[in-house]
Amino acid sequence: MQGTSIRACLARKVSAALLFTALPIAAVAQTTPAAPAVPPVKLGIVTFLTGPAAGPFGIPGRNSAEIMIEMLNAGKVPAPYATPGLAGAPILPKFVDEAGSSANQVTEFRNLVQRDGMNAVVGYISSGNCLAVAPVAEELKALTVFWDCGTPRIFEEKPLKYVFRATPHATMDNVAAARYVLKKFPDLASFSGINQNYAWGQDSWRDFVAAMKALAPKATVDKELLPKLFAGEFGAEISALLTTNSKVVHSSFWNGDLESFIVQNGARGLPARSTMVYTAGETAMFRLGAKIPDGTIIGARGPHGVMAPDTPLNKWFRGVYEDRFATSPTYPAYHMAQSILGLKSAWDKAAAAKGGQQPSIDEVVKAFEGLEFEGPSAKIRMAIGNGHQGIADIAYGSFRFNKAEGKAEIVDIVRYPAECVNPPANMTSTAWLEAGMPGAKCN
Amino acid sequence: MTGLRILLGAVILGGLGAAAPFTPLWLISLVTLAMSTGLVVCGLIILWRGGLVPFGQALFFATGAYTVALSGRWFGLTDAFLLIGLAVIMAALVAFVVGFLLAQYREIFFAMLSLALSMILYGVLVKSETLGSTDGINVTQASFFGLKPRGPGYTFALFWLALGMVFTAWVGVSAYLGSVAGQLAGAIRDNEIRVEYLGISVTRLVHLKLTISAALAGAGGALAALSISHVDPQMAYWTTSGGFVFVTILAGAASVPAAFLGALLFEIVRTIAVALLPGGWQLILGSVLLLTILFVPEGLGSLMIRKRAAVTEKGAA
Amino acid sequence: MITVIAIVTDGLVYAAWLFVVAIGLTLIFGVMKILNVAHGAFYAFGAYAAATAIGLYFDRGWPVVGGYLAIATAAIAIGLVMGYILERVFLRRVYGRDEVVVVLITYALFLILEDVLILIWGTDGRSAYQPYTEAGSFTVGGLPLSVYDIGLVGFAGLLAIASSLAIKRTTFGRLLTAVIYDRETAAAFGVNVTRVYTVTFLVGAVLGALGGALTAPKISVTPGLGVEVIVLAFAVVAIGGMGSMEGALVGALIVGLFRAGAVHLIPQLELFSIYAVMALVLVFRPQGLFSRAQPRKI
């Protein structure tokens, strides 16, 4: 008796939980024109809603997903995406917090697919979570689009069938950074790096050093600093950098640590001695404004944000995003938008091959492989990782604070073609870097 | 522990195993993961009864998990039983070695030192770029005596394996708690010096308890690694240890089955909290813990025992 | 030479920060025997309150000097409010319960407060750099140093002296010492232990908030800030001896200098440095450096 009543109570709780989460979704669904014939496509969206990565990445990603889904459902996205929903089917999103251990993420992924019946999942900022979820996505045959994680390992360790990543991986960020640095400082004698002591920081630094070795074999490494993630206090590291003669300091810091580091090193005059290179600097530049010294080299993990070209799609995207959220979209917003647009392109293509009928997941997967589509900021080609990993152009530029308008700007923008900064399809990024980047086409 | 109770336990777990094919797969995965936590909590109960609360049990949990991942990666071992056996041995071995140090400590110092040790392992793992640093590494899918079930079959196989481990742990831990060494736990908690006067080395006893609890944590880590198919340094971080202590509080030290029920409840509360309030699930989790401590101080297990006692009394009357 | 100067100054700056963060924790532990995980929440709330206060203050264009007062006021206010609520509503119910249970209460409170923080301030980072950047910098032996950082070292020194005097010279300090040594005997002699507990907890909370508030101008104040601080502060307190003020000071100095040395000389070790020092100290001095031997009770 006891057992059944507990179970009944639990069932009530679970259904209550589902009901509550359904409410906001229902509200979104109501604003879209009814298309009664086609059942909706349920889309799980996983992004940091709490924790340190929520502000810089998670929330812009969620905002971008919210607005893209709403606009797609309404058929209001400009060409070539002007048809409503995914091949006519409205999208029903369900948002899940990415905070918590990778065990939690695997559990919640199973819940999304097996309990909540999601047709596809767009998710994950943390590379660790991407790596943990990938085998489960394969096991469940669940179409999954990773939207922001950077590690090249996803498709290099084993081929995957149901997992895609439209967003290029992080090797590109650091190869392009090296090229840009050497364009500014052709005779660079030595450089240093300060990166967070976890996978992202270690990988970024390793790739940057390898690219520098290939492009400027004479340049040496002065200091290699790897402070703890979220250390917040970098006094000792800044002193260590001040004691070197490095012209250039590489850093893949993001948000909290990045802003703290910029303020602290500014107060102690580090930028007067070394030019700083922030590969993920774009998320912080509007918040810090004049605190960032002019000439600082800024990356945006793609040609996103202010470095994006002036296409109609980009103008539209910036317009609706700024109207709704009263702030400019930073690169995570672009990553999310291009991931959802990739999914839509694949879906529409698969449906077109079927005479307009809703495609099966396997058909979408087939259509997604090797796909080329337009993102708001660049053309994405699913060219490597057996057609599952996107490559795109990337841009780097130098920061300038426009005092007249009180606005942060990027100048001296250099755009590198995808083939110039990405490994070819048959090589892993590490092997490609170690071999001196053979086959890179930069013009 | 009587034969009857063992039989009862076997029947209940057997029933759960038989019900698996009729249960949604996500729930089976969730229960399997909860059981891995339950195994760790079982070990914590042994320590807790002796008045010891480690804030670094994740050390042994992560040792077990990484043993599974690395045996597969380096030596190509895939047999689940072999992997779990290795994980248990490795975790127990680590505990045996650090036990010479840890067993000297009590109270908050025991907690802090175990925390420091687990954070050192965390640091080593984060530093190991070949092991993927914080991104961790995938675990190859296991085989079971040469059988290689895939898809849902794999989920079932792991679930049955987990049930077997739970049964073994339950019988073993109950037997230990009932033994003289186990019964002395309360005495150690109350007054060590008196126990020493009985001619028993408290340090050796604590060392043994630590090793047993580490073996259980290693088993839990191995099961978690197999069921998540991924390991990462977060498994050694202090918040993971905090989670284990959390469940122990929720369950209470009164009974072994409560450890597993507590772990299951924790996992369910967490997953519902995530669904209910994606941006505030920690708030719910924290509130549940707070209310448990304030209103059910002996843990949920004590409710079961109280109930049983009430039934027995009624029967006697 | 410049490296030596750098190690010493960096070590001192870091130690000053650690000391301010750890002293509240060790005080609460010494008097109340509570290992207060919610200390991380005091720190985080202090940082957010200070960031908000600095923002409001400098938006009005008021003189810089007052900004430092704004920091202190914000920290004291939020520390008092939170300390009072936590002590009155939750901790008072569990005095006398098992130490570990009380730790878990504070752990639960910490989890809750982490999310409350997001509910109040949102997930976006906050920044309030003016007090830090306006303070300027000066150069010693070719190494530019921040005035604010050196000011922090001075503040930590004053705090150490003040707390030592307060304990040795004031009536309340003597009562405190009595409670630290033996709560029951103190109570038997008529010390109002509950009142001592309340005051201690409030002071501890204010110190935790102050730690966060003083750090706020140097960093981007983001969610999750408190998690990192707890374990660090624990380590410092464990090294120095739980509940000992001198211990917190010496522990902070050891960790600070050790870490600075590691960053400059062997950066690979930085990640382990604190835990390695802690394990090492505990191996040789299980009760920490400055702890009294406990009498055996049969």
Side-chain angles (χ1 to χ4, degrees):
Chain A
M1 268 320 283
Q2 193 72 16
T4 47
S5 69
I6 286 176
R7 196 168 307 157
C9 175
L10 262 181
R12 267 203 305 279
K13 270 188 189 165
V14 171
S15 50
L18 296 177
L19 186 73
F20 273 115
T21 45
L23 282 177
I25 297 166
V28 172
Q30 271 165 11
T31 60
T32 61
V38 197
V41 172
K42 291 202 228 167
L43 188 62
I45 304 217
V46 190
T47 172
F48 280 103
L49 302 174
T50 61
F57 305 137
I59 300 301
R62 187 201 61 191
N63 290 347
S64 173
E66 222 173 79
I67 206 159
M68 285 306 291
I69 289 169
E70 189 185 317
M71 292 292 164
L72 278 177
N73 283 344
K76 284 186 189 156
V77 183
Y81 303 106
T83 55
L86 298 179
I91 306 169
L92 255 185
K94 176 179 165 76
F95 289 92
V96 174
D97 187 9
E98 199 183 328
S101 66
S102 56
N104 295 351
Q105 287 318 310
V106 167
T107 306
E108 292 308 323
F109 182 82
R110 283 182 191 274
N111 289 348
L112 278 174
V113 175
Q114 292 178 324
R115 181 187 70 193
D116 307 337
M118 293 291 143
N119 301 91
V121 175
V122 174
Y124 308 105
I125 292 167
S126 145
S127 291
N129 288 341
C130 282
L131 284 165
V133 163
V136 188
E138 290 293 300
E139 184 198 321
L140 305 184
K141 299 188 171 30
L143 173 57
T144 304
V145 183
F146 293 153
W147 68 274
D148 192 55
C149 56
T151 179
R153 287 170 57 201
I154 308 274
F155 302 99
E156 290 180 353
E157 287 188 348
K158 56 185 151 209
L160 300 170
K161 186 171 174 214
Y162 292 94
V163 177
F164 292 87
R165 181 168 57 183
T167 304
H169 59 57
T171 298
M172 167 174 111
D173 306 339
N174 297 292
V175 173
R179 292 192 187 278
Y180 192 83
V181 162
L182 289 170
K183 182 175 161 287
K184 288 251 158 171
F185 303 91
D187 307 316
L188 188 69
S190 65
F191 58 98
S192 294
I194 175 165
N195 291 279
Q196 291 144 324
N197 207 338
Y198 80 117
W200 162 262
Q202 294 162 356
D203 291 351
S204 294
W205 173 240
R206 197 181 48 230
D207 286 355
F208 182 73
V209 172
M212 288 297 281
K213 206 176 229 164
L215 298 170
K218 282 196 198 120
T220 55
V221 175
D222 285 325
K223 280 269 181 207
E224 178 180 283
L225 298 167
L226 289 159
K228 198 165 79 73
L229 178 62
F230 306 138
E233 152 78 56
F234 301 103
E237 283 80 5
I238 292 165
S239 297
L241 291 171
L242 283 168
T243 58
T244 70
N245 292 315
S246 296
K247 269 261 159 47
V248 165
V249 175
H250 166 273
S251 178
S252 61
F253 277 13
W254 46 270
N255 185 256
D257 277 353
L258 175 60
E259 291 182 20
S260 309
F261 180 63
I262 290 175
V263 170
Q264 290 170 28
N265 74 39
R268 297 183 56 193
L270 180 62
R273 304 191 186 190
S274 314
T275 296
M276 313 302 294
V277 182
Y278 300 120
T279 61
E282 188 246 359
T283 51
M285 72 180 233
F286 297 106
R287 293 171 39 82
L288 286 178
K291 289 272 174 306
I292 303 179
D294 286 0
T296 300
I297 296 171
I298 300 266
R301 298 207 54 215
H304 307 307
V306 283
M307 287 188 263
D310 208 10
T311 62
L313 187 59
N314 182 36
K315 252 195 238 159
W316 167 84
F317 178 63
R318 293 188 79 79
V320 290
Y321 192 98
E322 281 165 0
D323 280 351
R324 171 75 58 89
F325 304 109
T327 171
S328 295
T330 47
Y331 79 72
Y334 278 86
H335 281 172
M336 178 60 92
Q338 70 194 20
S339 300
I340 291 177
L341 289 178
L343 189 66
K344 172 170 172 64
S345 303
W347 212 283
D348 289 359
K349 186 179 151 196
K354 238 181 144 181
Q357 274 184 330
Q358 273 294 311
S360 70
I361 291 300
D362 277 20
E363 285 160 344
V364 177
V365 164
K366 206 143 166 254
F368 214 149
E369 280 175 357
L371 186 72
E372 293 191 8
F373 64 95
E374 287 296 332
S377 55
K379 181 185 212 124
I380 312 264
R381 280 168 296 152
M382 306 296 288
I384 57 177
N386 288 323
H388 287 244
Q389 168 66 58
I391 59 171
D393 300 353
I394 186 170
Y396 263 82
S398 300
F399 183 85
R400 191 180 68 189
F401 191 75
N402 185 333
K403 288 205 181 72
E405 294 178 34
K407 209 171 77 180
E409 291 177 346
I410 302 270
V411 293
D412 290 343
I413 296 174
V414 179
R415 205 177 159 104
Y416 298 94
E419 280 80 8
C420 177
V421 288
N422 280 290
N426 56 358
M427 263 180 130
T428 68
S429 47
T430 320
W432 180 64
L433 284 169
E434 276 168 7
M437 300 190 274
K441 289 194 279 288
C442 290
N443 293 306
Chain B
M1 151 169 274
T2 60
L4 194 66
R5 287 189 63 198
I6 295 182
L7 193 68
L8 186 69
V11 168
I12 292 176
L13 291 176
L16 281 176
F22 312 103
T23 315
L25 281 167
W26 62 268
L27 191 59
I28 295 186
S29 304
L30 189 141
V31 174
T32 309
L33 208 57
M35 285 181 182
S36 74
T37 309
L39 287 168
V40 185
V41 172
C42 246
L44 281 182
I45 286 180
I46 295 179
L47 289 172
W48 183 309
R49 288 203 173 179
L52 297 165
V53 180
F55 285 168
Q57 202 70 353
L59 170 66
F60 311 120
F61 181 74
T63 304
Y66 268 83
T67 304
V68 168
L70 296 179
S71 308
R73 203 179 177 87
W74 290 343
F75 311 114
L77 301 179
T78 58
D79 187 78
F81 299 91
L82 183 66
L83 288 173
I84 288 172
L86 279 174
V88 168
I89 292 171
M90 279 303 292
L93 201 68
V94 170
F96 181 71
V97 174
V98 301
F100 286 104
L101 181 64
L102 259 180
Q104 320 266 351
Y105 297 78
R106 300 293 177 272
E107 297 172 2
I108 219 78
F109 305 102
F110 177 84
M112 293 305 295
L113 190 60
S114 72
L115 178 126
L117 292 173
S118 83
M119 289 303 287
I120 289 175
L121 177 66
Y122 173 78
V124 171
L125 291 175
V126 169
K127 268 284 169 195
S128 311
E129 290 188 37
T130 47
L131 300 183
S133 182
T134 43
D135 283 352
I137 47 174
N138 281 165
V139 178
T140 35
Q141 293 211 316
S143 58
F144 302 84
F145 295 131
L147 293 175
K148 288 186 178 170
R150 290 296 173 256
Y154 189 65
T155 311
F156 292 136
L158 278 179
F159 178 60
W160 290 324
L161 177 71
L163 289 178
M165 289 168 79
V166 167
F167 182 69
T168 317
W170 174 58
V171 173
V173 171
S174 300
Y176 175 76
L177 290 177
S179 73
V180 175
Q183 294 284 351
L184 274 171
I188 293 178
R189 184 194 188 115
D190 289 341
N191 196 318
E192 275 192 22
I193 294 163
R194 290 184 192 166
V195 177
E196 293 271 352
Y197 285 175
L198 292 175
I200 292 160
S201 162
V202 173
T203 309
R204 286 218 338 241
L205 214 55
V206 169
H207 199 159
L208 176 69
K209 284 180 193 299
L210 185 72
T211 312
I212 297 177
S213 81
L216 286 161
L223 184 59
L226 288 174
S227 104
I228 305 162
S229 290
H230 189 80
V231 297
D232 62 30
Q234 188 75 31
M235 289 176 150
Y237 201 61
W238 73 271
T239 47
T240 307
S241 303
F244 294 141
V245 179
F246 185 132
V247 178
T248 313
I249 290 278
L250 201 66
S255 88
V256 178
F260 295 99
L261 291 179
L264 190 59
L265 194 66
F266 173 71
E267 203 43 48
I268 289 172
V269 168
R270 193 193 59 75
T271 195
I272 291 177
V274 168
L276 262 181
L277 210 64
W281 54 276
Q282 286 203 84
L283 195 100
I284 299 182
L285 221 56
S287 309
V288 169
L289 178 65
L290 199 65
L291 294 175
T292 311
I293 302 174
L294 289 179
F295 298 110
V296 197
E298 303 298 320
L300 298 175
S302 68
L303 293 183
M304 291 163 53
I305 285 178
R306 235 179 275 164
K307 185 147 187 99
R308 201 156 61 213
V311 170
T312 330
E313 255 167 48
K314 213 180 269 173
Chain C
M1 187 55 208
I2 189 164
T3 308
V4 177
I5 297 176
I7 290 177
V8 173
T9 49
D10 295 340
L12 283 177
V13 171
Y14 197 67
W17 176 72
L18 283 174
F19 176 69
V20 177
V21 175
I23 184 174
L25 191 72
T26 206
L27 177 72
I28 289 179
F29 184 84
V31 177
M32 305 168 77
K33 303 287 176 284
I34 293 176
L35 189 59
N36 181 23
V37 182
H39 200 69
F42 295 151
Y43 177 87
F45 273 78
Y48 269 97
T52 308
I54 295 166
L56 289 174
Y57 183 88
F58 281 92
D59 280 351
R60 307 248 176 324
W62 290 339
V64 180
V65 188
Y68 302 98
L69 272 178
I71 296 178
T73 318
I76 291 169
I78 196 110
L80 287 177
V81 170
M82 286 179 70
Y84 187 76
I85 295 175
L86 260 54
E87 205 267 346
R88 264 294 153 86
V89 181
F90 300 102
L91 291 176
R92 198 163 274 198
R93 291 166 193 272
V94 291
Y95 286 152
R97 291 269 293 274
D98 208 16
E99 274 176 34
V100 175
V101 173
V102 185
V103 172
L104 280 153
I105 292 260
T106 62
Y107 177 67
L109 288 170
F110 174 71
L111 284 179
I112 296 172
L113 288 171
E114 277 280 279
D115 276 355
V116 171
L117 196 80
I118 294 182
L119 292 180
I120 300 177
W121 279 287
T123 50
D124 267 343
R126 302 243 152 188
S127 44
Y129 305 120
Q130 292 88 341
Y132 182 70
T133 48
E134 296 292 327
S137 67
F138 64 101
T139 307
V140 174
L143 186 75
L145 297 171
S146 151
V147 174
Y148 189 88
D149 283 344
I150 302 306
L152 264 188
V153 176
F155 177 79
L158 284 178
L159 188 64
I161 295 168
S163 60
S164 165
L165 285 179
I167 284 185
K168 293 204 175 98
R169 298 284 162 83
T170 67
T171 316
F172 186 78
R174 292 191 186 117
L175 289 181
L176 213 61
T177 317
V179 176
I180 291 177
Y181 272 78
D182 197 326
R183 189 173 61 88
E184 283 169 17
T185 314
F189 275 90
V191 177
N192 184 347
V193 174
T194 312
R195 206 182 119 250
V196 172
Y197 274 16
T198 309
V199 174
T200 306
F201 196 77
L202 287 180
V203 172
V206 167
L207 286 169
L210 202 61
L214 289 174
T215 317
K218 290 181 69 175
I219 61 167
S220 167
V221 182
T222 50
L225 182 81
V227 186
E228 302 302 315
V229 172
I230 300 172
V231 183
L232 272 180
F234 279 3
V236 169
V237 169
I239 289 170
M242 312 279 304
S244 155
M245 305 274 172
E246 307 93 309
L249 184 62
V250 175
L253 280 172
I254 292 177
V255 171
L257 289 171
F258 199 87
R259 178 177 174 276
V263 169
H264 283 275
L265 306 175
I266 6 172
Q268 292 86 343
L269 278 187
E270 194 262 338
L271 199 62
F272 313 95
S273 51
I274 291 168
Y275 303 106
V277 171
M278 173 170 157
L280 210 68
V281 168
L282 288 182
V283 167
F284 294 106
R285 293 268 317 178
Q287 318 289 313
L289 293 173
F290 279 79
S291 204
R292 292 169 303 111
Q294 294 288 329
R296 278 159 60 111
K297 282 184 186 164
I298 296 178

